[in-house]
């Protein structure tokens, strides 16, 4: 890549992220590292795709900010829309680490005399990079702009209506926005790739359609993974989805001081605990949630919350509940899994189309 273009663009990226506070300091360092890896490739495309993804995501976030503030709540309780605030390093890597690895492998292959020469022939690793950014761009625009849909989203697994911001919720507005984002990545790729003479205009158009389709599929895959593996937490007082900053998990219930199992048994049988510290522990959200399940089962009317944990906690009714999904992955984890699966899938499909061998990417990675 041209070093002058790289330094100028990277400096502008750092300046904008710092002055707009769109990235935390660790995230800026992560972005610089990611940009440097992308800049090692002979093609300008990987770095330009990184900048394009960042620019589109930032623009989409600004468009929906005021509306989202009325539809979701922040897990921190600080007010404002859920998920607001500067992006962290984990978010940066979740969307770009797969592309960084593929870019580095492609650059190494070119240096070693393998695929990745002066013109773009049938380089599966570069296809993976492009598909990665098509997918994460489609997912970002779908999530950020889909929440503006007037018809409301439907859960991808059951088709039932769900609250805006629900993981796995899809809408026609979000689907179109995601497809347009993937299309932008496809157009940029077709415009900047140094095509070999063997590629006809029709083949380039099919390539762009393929990238757009893979990006849209990646957005849908992200919704499916989010619906199944990521918990959607709802604030019971407002009915709005709760979102954590930095793409992390939302705590269902705040940690509270409760009797440990040993301390509770001693209390039940009239035996004093050995020490106060031994009897009281910091119990996490899952344990507290289990206690409240027992309470609701013991008294279905909900008028009297009187169980073994004591009457003094009757006012501590939970303000959050898991609406859908298993609390296995965070939003960052879902994004990374989606990017990895979509990129690998795109390379395998391209290998099947070009070589008749879906696993041809393995040979390219090995440089054989």
């Amino acid at each position: 890549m041209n070093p002058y273009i790289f330094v100028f663009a990277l400096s502008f990226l750092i300046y904008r992220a710092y002055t707009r506070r769109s990235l935390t300091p660790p995230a800026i360092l992560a972005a610089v590292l990611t940009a440097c890896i992308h800049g090692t490739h002979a093609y300008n495309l990987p770095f330009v795709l990184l900048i394009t993804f960042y620019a589109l995501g930032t623009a989409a976030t600004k468009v929906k900010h005021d509306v989202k503030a009325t539809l979701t709540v922040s897990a921190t309780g600080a007010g404002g829309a859920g998920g607001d605030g500067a992006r962290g390093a984990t978010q940066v890597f979740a969307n770009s680490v797969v592309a960084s690895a593929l870019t580095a492998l492609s650059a190494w292959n070119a240096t070693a005399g393998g695929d990745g020469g002066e013109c773009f022939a049938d380089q599966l690793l570069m296809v993976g990079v492009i598909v990665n950014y098509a997918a994460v761009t489609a997912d970002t625009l779908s999530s950020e702009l889909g929440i503006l849909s007037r018809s409301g989203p439907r859960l991808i697994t059951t088709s039932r209506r769900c609250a805006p911001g629900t993981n796995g919720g899809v809408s026609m507005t979000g689907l179109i926005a995601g497809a347009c984002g993937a299309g932008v990545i496809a157009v940029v790729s077709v415009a900047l790739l140094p095509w070999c003479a063997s590629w006809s205009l029709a083949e380039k158009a099919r390539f762009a359609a393929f990238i757009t389709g893979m990006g849209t599929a990646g957005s849908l895959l992200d919704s499916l993974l989010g619906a199944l593996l990521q918990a959607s937490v709802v604030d019971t007082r407002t009915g709005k989805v709760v979102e954590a900053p930095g793409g992390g998990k939302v705590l269902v219930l705040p940690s509270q001081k409760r009797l440990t199992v040993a301390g509770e048994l001693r209390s039940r049988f009239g035996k004093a605990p050995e020490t106060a510290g031994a009897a009281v522990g910091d119990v996490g959200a899952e344990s507290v949630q289990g206690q409240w399940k027992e309470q609701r089962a013991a008294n279905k009317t909900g008028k009297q919350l009187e169980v073994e944990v004591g009457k003094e906690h009757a006012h501590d009714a939970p303000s959050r509940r898991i609406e859908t999904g298993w609390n296995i992955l965070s939003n960052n984890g879902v994004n990374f899994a989606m990017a990895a699966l979509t990129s690998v899938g795109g390379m395998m499909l391209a290998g099947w189309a070009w070589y008749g061998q879906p696993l041809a990417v393995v040979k390219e990675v090995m440089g054989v």
Side-chain angles (χ1 to χ4, degrees):
M1 180 178 182
N2 187 301
Y4 298 105
I5 297 176
F6 174 77
V7 172
F8 173 79
L10 181 58
S11 300
F12 176 76
L13 175 66
I14 296 173
Y15 173 78
R16 182 179 177 82
Y18 179 77
T19 55
R20 300 294 180 88
R21 296 184 179 179
S22 58
L23 299 176
T24 63
I28 292 177
L29 294 177
V32 170
L33 175 62
T34 300
C36 289
I37 294 175
H38 283 55
T40 60
H41 203 281
Y43 297 167
N44 293 331
L45 183 62
F47 181 72
V48 174
L49 290 181
L50 174 65
I51 298 297
T52 303
F53 164 67
Y54 172 74
L56 290 176
T58 302
T61 301
K62 285 186 73 173
V63 169
K64 60 81 188 176
H65 179 271
D66 293 336
V67 176
K68 189 176 181 181
T70 66
L71 299 175
T72 62
V73 295
S74 174
T76 62
D84 273 354
R87 294 180 178 271
T90 305
Q91 285 177 290
V92 173
F93 287 133
N95 289 302
S96 62
V97 71
V98 174
S100 296
L102 295 176
T103 298
L105 282 172
S106 179
W108 180 82
N109 264 2
T111 304
D115 288 337
E118 295 181 357
C119 67
F120 178 77
D122 302 331
Q123 301 164 30
L124 298 179
L125 291 173
M126 186 54 55
V127 171
V129 174
I130 299 171
V131 169
N132 176 92
Y133 281 113
V136 296
T137 301
D139 173 56
T140 299
L141 297 191
S142 179
S143 299
E144 301 293 350
L145 300 181
I147 200 170
L148 305 178
S149 175
R150 295 182 178 180
S151 61
R154 291 183 178 273
L155 200 62
I156 192 171
T157 51
T158 63
S159 296
R160 70 173 177 83
R161 292 196 179 276
C162 55
T166 300
N167 300 312
V170 295
S171 66
M172 185 57 65
T173 301
L175 187 61
I176 293 174
C180 289
V184 171
I185 296 298
V187 170
V188 171
S189 300
V190 170
L192 294 184
L193 275 175
W195 298 96
C196 295
S198 59
W199 283 80
S200 67
L201 183 61
E203 288 175 323
K204 294 177 184 178
R206 286 195 292 269
F207 181 81
F210 169 73
I211 296 300
T212 302
M214 288 302 303
T216 306
S219 176
L220 292 173
L221 176 61
D222 186 273
S223 296
L224 180 61
L225 293 176
L228 298 176
L229 304 179
Q230 184 181 356
S232 289
V233 179
V234 173
D235 182 83
T236 58
R237 296 162 298 186
T238 63
K240 298 179 181 180
V241 172
V242 183
E243 292 187 348
K249 289 185 178 182
V250 177
L251 187 65
V252 179
L253 289 172
S255 296
Q256 302 179 27
K257 292 297 181 181
R258 293 286 191 245
L259 290 178
T260 61
V261 175
E264 187 175 347
L265 289 175
R266 290 176 180 273
S267 176
R268 286 183 178 182
F269 291 97
K271 296 181 180 180
E274 296 176 0
T275 63
V280 179
D282 189 15
V283 181
E286 294 181 358
S287 298
V288 178
Q289 186 182 18
Q291 291 174 348
W292 283 112
K293 285 183 179 179
E294 293 179 3
Q295 291 177 357
R296 287 193 293 270
N299 189 347
K300 295 182 179 180
T301 64
K303 295 180 180 179
Q304 182 182 4
L305 297 174
E306 182 176 347
V307 290
E308 298 298 331
V309 294
K311 294 182 181 179
E312 66 273 16
H313 300 299
H315 65 281
D316 292 336
S319 62
R320 298 174 182 175
R321 72 172 186 272
I322 295 179
E323 186 73 8
T324 61
W326 295 90
N327 196 17
I328 298 175
L329 295 178
S330 65
N331 186 65
N332 293 327
V334 168
N335 288 345
F336 169 75
M338 180 276 292
L341 291 172
T342 308
S343 297
V344 171
M347 289 187 292
M348 292 180 66
L349 286 175
W352 174 72
W354 291 341
Y355 305 112
Q357 299 177 5
L359 297 181
V361 64
V362 176
K363 296 182 178 179
E364 185 170 321
V365 170
M366 298 177 64
V368 298

